[in-house]
Amino acid sequence: MNQHARPDTTPTMQPIPFIDVAGQRRKLGQKIDDAVAKVLDHCQFILGPEVRELEAQLSAFAGVKHTISCASGTDALMLVLLAKGIGPGDAVFCPSFTFAATGETVALVGASPVFVDVEEDTFNMDVASLEKAIGTAKKLGLKPKAIVPVDLFGLPADHDSVAEIAEEHGLFVLDDAAQGFGGVYKDRKIGSIGLAAATSFFPAKPLGCYGDGGAVFTNDDQLAELMRGLRVHGQIPGRPEFSHIGITGRLDTIQAAILIEKLKIFPAEIEARNKVAARYNEKLGQYAIVPRVPEGYTSIWAQYTIRLQPGRRDGLAAALKAEGIPTAIYYAKPPHQHEAYKKFPVAEGGLPVTEKLSHEVISLPMHAYLDEPTQDRIVDAVKRHLTA
Ligand SMILES: Cc1ncc(COP(=O)(O)O)c(C=O)c1O
């Protein structure tokens, strides 16, 4: 099942949403309708005033100089790789315990993703495996160029350790913050770490729009200018002709208008998500391996994911489904095991933790509008099944 898959439920009791986009819509109500109506009135559907306004607000939120909004999280990753001229013969290091788009964008620009293992307790890039992967790439004659850590399930990666290795080997860091925007790493907002960071506004993301959308964040003026041009077919501002091959990668003005309204309630939603996660951890800690947030990190809880003994997951999913409680498995089969990615290298020593986790993880409903009685229903069902 991928990040875009709809969780499966066959409710025999009142079904619980996995992510309550409709609950949030009810809360926002008329404000969204008014914001969209304003765009329908001024008709500047492409790069209209709301796009610039949103970009300025996102820059202020993330504490970063430039935000370049774009059509998806995938385009956000692509824009950075294109702007940096990543291509054939280059190696880009990324985890495999993530959504396919992380490695996919590297392959799309003609470079080679080199898959790196993750840590068991944070699900994020393991820097010991990263060092090995750099050696693997060199042995294969590839040129190491970039590291793409992922803030998986909303938890920031170990960015200081990644940065140290990047510096040692002369690589740039592109943070795949599609699941992590809104999180904090040691007083730094996700979005402001690395040469650039990319996020997704897919509706199920913690900050989602009503369609596809994404953004790149950077403090680098030149890179920002280049990416603004690349998202419009390579028409770089101030240049009379196409100097680069780009894409149609803009964020629609209507989506920007919706995001402006959603950004206003995002801080309160982050707080609410953290309360839900803390309550899950407290109530489920003795029945499953619950997520750990290292000191100084704030997770945005894109997913709330527990680990079970191998073999127990399917039974739990089926039992919860029978009670109208959806679950999801991210990622039952990590990309490096898929047909399209099998040809790309993995770090020396393989990805044993990634493969182990893929048999153990299961995600429970998580969103800012999960009230305590509903959460208790989920918790009780999980406990009942795991102790049966
Ligand atoms: C880690 C990660 N990277 C990239 C993406 C791609 O984002 P989008 O679906 O907006 O293209 C996603 C989306 O699920 C993701 O989870």
Side-chain angles (χ1 to χ4, degrees), residues 235-258:
Q235 297 181 82
I236 314 301
R239 297 192 198 179
E241 57 184 65
F242 292 103
S243 53
H244 290 72
I245 293 175
I247 56 176
T248 317
R250 299 162 295 230
L251 179 73
D252 292 344
T253 309
I254 286 179
Q255 299 300 347
I258 290 164

Side-chain angles (χ1 to χ4, degrees), residues 283-348:
K283 291 178 182 284
L284 293 177
Q286 63 194 102
Y287 305 95
I289 303 175
V290 296
R292 180 182 77 84
V293 178
E295 185 77 30
Y297 294 39
T298 303
S299 176
I300 181 71
W301 301 104
Q303 302 295 340
Y304 181 82
T305 303
I306 57 173
R307 289 168 54 202
L308 304 176
Q309 298 286 339
R312 301 227 58 186
R313 184 170 71 184
D314 290 351
L316 178 66
L320 294 183
K321 182 176 169 180
E323 295 189 28
I325 302 170
T327 57
I329 295 169
Y330 305 122
Y331 297 92
K333 189 174 175 186
H336 74 282
Q337 296 179 326
H338 287 244
E339 201 49 44
Y341 296 95
K342 278 183 189 158
K343 61 176 181 269
F344 297 112
V346 300
E348 194 183 315

Side-chain angles (χ1 to χ4, degrees), residues 34-107:
D34 293 347
V36 171
K38 211 171 131 199
V39 180
L40 296 181
D41 283 345
H42 69 52
C43 290
Q44 295 180 59
F45 300 120
I46 300 294
L47 298 180
E50 286 81 0
V51 173
R52 287 187 293 280
E53 189 184 332
L54 174 71
E55 289 178 343
Q57 289 182 10
L58 288 170
S59 295
F61 181 91
V64 72
K65 226 167 144 185
H66 304 282
T67 298
I68 298 94
S69 63
C70 57
S72 67
T74 305
D75 279 0
L77 291 165
M78 282 275 287
L79 285 172
V80 180
L81 298 170
L82 286 172
K84 291 297 289 178
I86 300 302
D90 293 339
V92 176
F93 304 94
C94 59
S96 178
F97 199 59
T98 174
F99 184 54
T102 312
E104 175 193 44
T105 46
V106 176

Side-chain angles (χ1 to χ4, degrees), residues 3-4 72-74 77 98-99 101-102 150 176 178-179 200 205 213:
Q3 200 73 16
H4 296 183
S72 67
T74 305
L77 291 165
T98 174
F99 184 54
T102 312
V150 177
D176 182 344
Q179 300 182 19
S200 164
K205 297 289 190 243

Side-chain angles (χ1 to χ4, degrees), residues 15-231:
I16 290 172
F18 188 70
I19 292 170
D20 198 359
V21 178
Q24 187 201 47
R25 169 80 183 100
R26 281 191 297 276
K27 181 177 167 63
L28 287 162
Q30 192 60 37
K31 289 183 188 134
I32 293 280
D33 300 31
D34 293 347
V36 171
K38 211 171 131 199
V39 180
L40 296 181
D41 283 345
H42 69 52
C43 290
Q44 295 180 59
F45 300 120
I46 300 294
L47 298 180
E50 286 81 0
V51 173
R52 287 187 293 280
E53 189 184 332
L54 174 71
E55 289 178 343
Q57 289 182 10
L58 288 170
S59 295
F61 181 91
V64 72
K65 226 167 144 185
H66 304 282
T67 298
I68 298 94
S69 63
C70 57
S72 67
T74 305
D75 279 0
L77 291 165
M78 282 275 287
L79 285 172
V80 180
L81 298 170
L82 286 172
K84 291 297 289 178
I86 300 302
D90 293 339
V92 176
F93 304 94
C94 59
S96 178
F97 199 59
T98 174
F99 184 54
T102 312
E104 175 193 44
T105 46
V106 176
L108 277 172
V109 298
S112 177
V114 180
F115 292 112
V116 176
D117 212 1
V118 293
E119 295 173 338
E120 200 165 322
D121 58 345
T122 63
F123 307 135
N124 280 329
M125 189 178 263
D126 174 358
V127 291
S129 174
L130 172 61
E131 297 255 35
K132 287 186 194 159
I134 295 170
T136 306
K138 286 182 179 164
K139 272 190 213 154
L140 292 169
L142 296 166
K143 280 179 272 156
K145 284 287 172 71
I147 307 171
V148 185
V150 177
D151 305 307
L152 200 78
F153 303 152
L155 181 70
D158 180 1
H159 287 290
D160 283 348
S161 303
V162 169
E164 239 174 72
I165 295 177
E167 202 178 321
E168 189 187 325
H169 295 272
L171 312 176
F172 73 85
V173 175
L174 161 58
D175 183 21
D176 182 344
Q179 300 182 19
F181 187 68
V184 181
Y185 175 80
K186 300 183 183 175
D187 296 328
R188 280 180 289 161
K189 289 275 190 74
I190 290 300
S192 67
I193 299 171
L195 173 71
T199 198
S200 164
F201 301 131
F202 183 77
K205 297 289 190 243
L207 181 64
C209 57
Y210 288 168
D212 279 308
V216 188
F217 309 94
T218 186
N219 284 314
D220 186 310
D221 299 342
Q222 272 183 340
L223 188 69
E225 171 137 312
L226 200 50
M227 291 191 293
R228 280 189 208 287
L230 285 169
R231 77 175 167 182

